[in-house]
Amino acid sequence: QVQLGETGGGLVQAGGSLRLSCAASGRGFKTYAMGWFRQAPGKEREFVAAIDWLARGVIIGDSVQGRFTISRDTAKNMVALQMVDLTPEDTAIYYCAAASGVGVYSDKRRFDYWGQGTQVTVSS
């Protein structure tokens, strides 16, 4: 069982930056692939970024490519999402998720555990 908690959301102006963090606890976290997803009102939950358990494999979603970076600190049981050059289209609730397995995944159905989410709002 893995528990996840996101922090770092907030209100930022367009062009600004935010860093989201996900703290994980529970057995086996170190061997889980991690991902970030987001969901805007009235829209499907969208893949943002993912990283494998060794931090060697990374996938970045097309809509955030070149602006968002995912990283993990296994020793601290933390996963981060660095977001720069934010636009109002990035406004959403951002969720951290964990998936068992040795790969890196972008399909939300692959993820076993989810955090409660943190709100990111980008004003124009």
Side-chain angles (χ1 to χ4, degrees):
Q1 189 79 9
V2 175
Q3 293 81 41
L4 304 171
E6 305 92 337
T7 56
L11 174 63
V12 64
Q13 288 189 331
S17 302
L18 279 176
R19 183 178 179 85
L20 305 183
S21 294
C22 174
S25 61
R27 294 172 65 92
F29 166 73
K30 291 178 173 56
T31 61
Y32 277 72
M34 300 298 296
W36 286 96
F37 293 79
R38 67 186 184 185
Q39 188 165 18
K43 294 189 176 182
E44 295 278 325
R45 190 166 294 191
E46 175 191 19
F47 170 74
V48 175
I51 189 166
D52 69 10
W53 73 287
L54 290 173
R56 293 177 181 172
V58 169
I59 305 174
I60 304 295
D62 290 342
S63 62
V64 303
Q65 186 72 244
R67 300 187 297 120
F68 289 14
T69 304
I70 187 172
S71 60
R72 72 186 294 167
D73 185 335
T74 302
K76 296 181 179 179
N77 284 0
M78 298 282 291
V79 177
L81 184 70
Q82 180 67 48
M83 307 183 293
V84 301
D85 195 20
L86 287 160
T87 74
E89 288 69 38
D90 295 316
T91 295
I93 299 174
Y94 283 70
Y95 298 91
C96 175
S100 59
V102 299
V104 56
Y105 313 107
S106 60
D107 186 341
K108 58 181 178 289
R109 296 169 297 179
R110 188 62 179 80
F111 288 79
D112 306 297
Y113 302 101
W114 295 82
Q116 293 298 307
T118 185
Q119 177 71 48
V120 171
T121 303
V122 184
S123 62
S124 57

